Amino acid sequence: MKNDTANPTGSFKDRVVSVALTKARELGFKVAACASTGNLANSVAAHSARAGMVSVVFIPKDLERAKVVSTAVYGGHVVAVEGTYDDVNRLCAELASEHPAWAFVNVNLRTYYAEGSKTLAFEVAEQLGWQAPDHVVVPVASGSQLTKVARGFRELYEVGLLEEEPHVRISGAQAAGCAPVATAFAEGADAIRPVRPDTIAKSLAIGDPADGWYALHEVRSSGGAFAVASDDEIVRAIRLLARTEGVFAETAGGVTIAALAKLAAEGVIRQDERVVVYVTGHGLKTVEALVSLRPTATIAPSLDAFEAAVDVDGDLHRGDR
Ligand SMILES: Cc1ncc(COP(=O)(O)O)c(C=O)c1O
């Protein structure tokens, strides 16, 4: 697992924003902006604060509470838009042409922003002793990350940092409630039909993905596949990952782990492959998904009450954790 939950603002977006805002400063921009499904907002607000830039981030108004709070805390402007991410994105495209002096990280600075995702490939190769994995599973919203992970492995070989030419199979993960690229893959179609998202994986809820076609192409040409996860499967996968690896992922991570499990069960992922799954955001950002979790017991402060309520020896005996 490539665990990207432990970045400064808890998601892989710190990679793309780090590159985009470094470039924005070099180019003389004073205002940083973005259209976000949540994680990008967190990161743009934080990096702008550190860089002394004014930030203006645009989000759909129904985002998780933690994503809003952990953007607003950095002091920039947070604008909640009545609509989906795709409405937010269209508004930002219009604003970017009205305000050419603003650095919209995923609009007019998108080329730099996208470069940041390549580090997800660079680091994985480095951590595997300068070898590429056989197969990766990557979450897909706009499709930028998946496309750049694939490109990253190829570029490492082109500059001589990988001895063998990599043939990494690239598989994509989407939520069942927002799966335009996975659907095109399943139907063998070339065109991606936009959808209206309805999923707890709000960070992946892009109905009309800008880089969807490229992501589809990377998956097909590398011999990978797509898998989708329902809301229930997302929650179960979050709990599975936490229970077995001690990593608490947000809903996007649940999508990716559920997709990994499905691809393995279907035999798409083979036994002999070295597989890397990208877990790209921290679970504290989307606790709403797990509201049903409660303490094991609520007890009076006494030994008897504890012994009556909790059977730790039984867990040990059964091998439960
Ligand atoms: C946690 C997380 N993982 C993955 C993605 C997918 O990124 P991309 O838009 O590059 O496909 C996002 C996008 O917002 C995200 O927030």
Side-chain angles (χ1 to χ4, degrees):
M1 169 178 41
K2 180 63 173 162
N3 177 6
D4 246 25
T5 64
N7 290 342
T9 70
S11 87
F12 93 100
K13 293 288 181 183
D14 291 325
R15 299 173 181 275
V16 286
V17 172
S18 180
V19 177
L21 285 205
T22 301
K23 204 67 194 173
R25 287 173 83 189
E26 189 187 311
L27 296 169
F29 287 102
K30 305 274 187 291
V31 178
C34 69
S36 175
T37 55
N39 285 312
L40 185 60
N42 296 169
S43 191
V44 166
H47 280 75
S48 300
R50 179 74 180 108
M53 297 172 80
V54 172
S55 65
V56 197
V57 308
F58 296 84
I59 54 173
K61 87 167 198 309
D62 71 341
L63 276 198
E64 298 92 345
R65 181 105 189 93
K67 293 235 172 99
V68 178
V69 171
S70 55
T71 305
V73 70
Y74 297 108
H77 300 280
V78 185
V79 183
V81 177
E82 289 168 356
T84 64
Y85 171 82
D86 299 288
D87 297 317
V88 174
N89 195 33
R90 189 181 31 74
L91 171 64
C92 287
E94 289 173 35
L95 280 165
S97 51
E98 291 296 311
H99 297 279
W102 294 7
F104 271 91
V105 301
N106 55 342
V107 184
N108 51 356
L109 267 73
R110 191 171 178 86
T111 42
Y112 302 116
Y113 155 97
E115 289 293 296
S117 282
K118 289 182 187 168
T119 60
L120 286 164
F122 299 160
E123 281 178 25
V124 160
E126 183 184 12
Q127 288 165 337
L128 294 176
W130 296 107
Q131 287 179 346
D134 300 311
H135 201 149
V136 294
V137 183
V138 190
V140 171
S142 73
S144 173
Q145 178 186 171
L146 182 144
T147 313
K148 296 300 174 189
V149 165
R151 177 93 62 87
F153 289 119
R154 288 199 291 270
E155 287 185 1
L156 276 186
Y157 174 68
E158 281 160 23
V159 300
L161 281 166
L162 292 180
E163 273 176 25
E164 282 176 37
E165 186 172 0
H167 297 286
V168 186
R169 297 173 70 204
I170 315 280
S171 286
Q174 290 207 294
C178 183
V181 194
T183 303
F185 178 85
E187 292 174 351
D190 256 345
I192 291 163
R193 252 180 295 121
V195 299
R196 194 168 184 86
D198 180 13
T199 168
I200 58 167
K202 294 177 193 284
S203 57
L204 300 183
I206 297 186
D208 189 7
D211 292 296
W213 188 88
Y214 298 100
L216 181 61
H217 175 75
E218 287 293 354
V219 169
R220 270 199 191 126
S221 61
S222 69
F226 270 90
V228 300
S230 68
D231 285 357
D232 273 358
E233 289 167 333
I234 295 168
V235 171
R236 268 187 268 132
I238 291 173
R239 297 184 65 181
L240 174 69
L241 182 67
R243 204 168 64 233
T244 54
E245 291 292 338
V247 171
F248 183 17
E250 72 142 85
T251 44
V255 170
T256 317
I257 294 297
L260 170 75
K262 281 192 181 174
L263 294 168
E266 288 164 6
V268 174
I269 288 174
R270 296 192 300 258
Q271 291 268 332
D272 61 343
E273 286 186 310
R274 182 150 63 165
V275 184
V276 173
V277 59
Y278 287 95
V279 173
T280 49
H282 199 287
L284 286 175
K285 289 165 174 267
T286 61
V287 284
E288 289 90 339
L290 297 168
V291 279
S292 65
L293 292 187
R294 294 274 180 274
T296 309
T298 302
I299 57 166
S302 77
L303 270 178
D304 286 349
F306 171 73
E307 300 295 358
V310 185
D311 181 16
V312 177
D313 288 340
D315 289 346
L316 281 176
H317 188 65
R318 285 188 299 273
D320 285 358
R321 284 187 288 168

